Amino acid sequence: MSRMFVPGPVDVDDEVLQAQARPMVPHRSKEFEAIFRQAAEKAKQIFLTRNRVLIATSSGTGLQEAAIRNFVQRDVLACVNGAFAERWFDVAVSNGKQADKLEAAWDAPITPDLVTAALKKKSYEAITIVHNETSTGLQNPVGEVAEAVRAVSPDTLILVDAVSSLSGAKIETDAWGLDMVLTSSQKCLALPPGLALCAVSDRAMDKAKSVEARGWYFDLLRMDKHRQKDSTPATPAMSLIYALDAQLDRILAEGVEARFARHSAMAERVQGWAEARDLGIYAPAGYRSQTVTTVRNERGWDIPALNGFLKQKDMRLANGYGALKNVTFRIAHMGEIQMSDVEELLAALEEFMTQ
Ligand SMILES: Cc1ncc(COP(=O)(O)O)c(C=O)c1O
C-alpha cells in the first residue's frame, strides 16, 4: 500500500475497502437498518457525545451548508483564519445569511478574547469555527472559545468543523458544549470520500424548528426523524456505510484515547524533526495540529521534485495550500498512518536533503 501523507483522501485499510464489496440489500430493510443503527451508535464514541449522530451522503462541505441552513435564520459570526473557515463564511453568504467575519491571521489562532469582544458588540444566533485548519496546520482552541461564547452569549449556537481532526484529536463535544461538530469520511476516519457525519445537540435541533427554508436534502429535522427509524430520507451511500461500520470497529479496537495519543506522538515527531532541520512550522507553538503539519519551506525545496522523489518510494506529501504553495508543504499524519510510516518518510526526506 502506498503511504499518503496528504490531508485527505488518505489510505484506507484493505479490510475496510473490502467491506464495501458487501452485496446490496434494499436500503429500507431490517438488514441495512441494523448496520446503519450500529454505525451511528458507535460513532457517538468518537464524537465523545451522547447526542445524536447524523450520517449524510455528501462530503463535509454539505454539512457546513446544513449547519447554516438549519441553525441560522439571519445572523452568524464566522471565525476565519484559514481557507476552510473562509469557505464556511462563503457558504453562509451564498445562502443569504447576514454573516460577519471574525478574522485572525492565518498563522494565528481564534482566541476566546477575540470572540468575546465580537459577541459583546452584536448578538449572533451561531458562530462557526474550524477546529483544525487543514490549509495551515493550525488547531484553534475550540474548548476555550466555546467557554467564552457561553459566558457572553449563552444562546449562541457553537458550530464546529472538525473535518480534518475528528478521531485524530480529542474534541469533547458534550463536555465543551458544542452544538454541532461535523466531519468528513476521507480524513482521520480513513474511509473513502463520500460520507459526512455530525453530532448535533438537542437545543440546536429545537432551534432548527424555527428556521425557515431549511431546504430538503440537508433538512436535519427530516434526517433526524428518519434516523429514529434507523434510516435516511433518501438513498444513502450504502457501500460507504458498510465501510464506516467496519472502520469504526477498528477504531474502537485501537481505542479512541490511544488513537488520539498516536496522532499526538506523530505530530510531535514530525514537528520536532522540522525544527531540528531549521524548517519552521507555520502554526505557532501551542496551536499546532495533531493531524497535519505545515512546514515552512525554508530550505527552498522544489516540492513537485520532492514528491517525485517520494513517489518512487510509494509515498507522497502535500504542497502548501493556495498562496502557501511552495513556500510551505504539508505532512499529514492522520488516519491509519503509524509512527513507523512517519519514520520512513523522515528518512526519505533526509535522503532527499543530502542528495
Ligand atoms: C477543515 C476542512 N473543512 C472542510 C473541508 C471540506 O470538506 P469536503 O472536501 O469533505 O467537503 C475540508 C477539506 O479538506 C477541510 O479540510
Side-chain angles (χ1 to χ4, degrees), residues 13-79:
D13 188 84
D14 279 344
E15 186 191 321
V16 177
L17 285 175
Q18 289 309 319
Q20 295 179 99
R22 188 177 172 141
M24 290 299 122
V25 290
H27 69 292
R28 304 209 187 282
S29 65
K30 290 286 162 241
E31 295 110 290
F32 183 71
E33 284 163 10
I35 295 169
F36 189 77
R37 177 176 56 245
Q38 79 202 20
E41 279 305 309
K42 285 181 232 171
K44 290 181 183 177
Q45 297 183 52
I46 55 166
F47 279 93
L48 305 180
T49 189
R50 293 184 162 179
N51 293 336
R52 64 191 59 64
V53 169
L54 302 173
I55 304 172
T57 293
S58 80
S59 75
T61 309
L63 287 184
Q64 282 191 337
E65 185 148 275
I68 297 296
R69 296 197 65 150
N70 285 266
F71 305 134
V72 179
Q73 186 62 59
R74 210 182 112 88
D75 291 302
V76 58
L77 181 67
C79 301

Side-chain angles (χ1 to χ4, degrees), residues 7-8 58-64 83-85 87-88 130-135 161-165 182-187 193-196 321 330:
S58 80
S59 75
T61 309
L63 287 184
Q64 282 191 337
F84 293 102
R87 179 182 299 181
W88 212 353
V130 172
H131 176 251
N132 190 74
E133 250 305 342
T134 323
S135 55
D161 171 324
V163 164
S164 59
S165 48
L182 66 94
T183 198
S184 302
S185 52
Q186 76 277 13
K187 311 260 188 205
L195 286 184
Y321 191 95
R330 291 173 296 163

